[in-house]
Amino acid sequence: MIASYKTEVASYDQYKFRDNEEKQSWAEQAKIRVNRTGNSYNEYILKNSYI
């Protein structure tokens, strides 16, 4: 999950300020995937925490 998160953050950073509308759309999709991956990771940590 962490590798996927880092890859999507890099994609978001690469395309977020482009003039091309299609590339800005790619950035938005990457942002959605980043948030989804982060949420899944947080849920996993909460369910599997043995503290």
Side-chain angles (χ1 to χ4, degrees):
M1 278 193 231
I2 293 171
S4 175
Y5 179 86
K6 288 181 180 181
T7 301
E8 294 302 339
V9 167
S11 294
Y12 174 73
D13 287 340
Q14 181 179 2
Y15 295 117
K16 67 182 173 182
F17 294 120
R18 299 295 173 137
D19 292 333
N20 187 331
E21 193 172 308
E22 182 182 14
K23 290 183 180 178
Q24 286 180 348
S25 174
W26 294 349
E28 286 300 315
Q29 293 300 316
K31 183 176 160 183
I32 291 168
R33 289 188 300 270
V34 164
N35 288 330
R36 191 176 302 144
T37 302
N39 189 35
S40 295
Y41 181 75
N42 288 339
E43 287 179 19
Y44 174 81
I45 294 298
L46 287 173
K47 288 180 184 177
N48 296 300
S49 178
Y50 298 106
I51 297 175

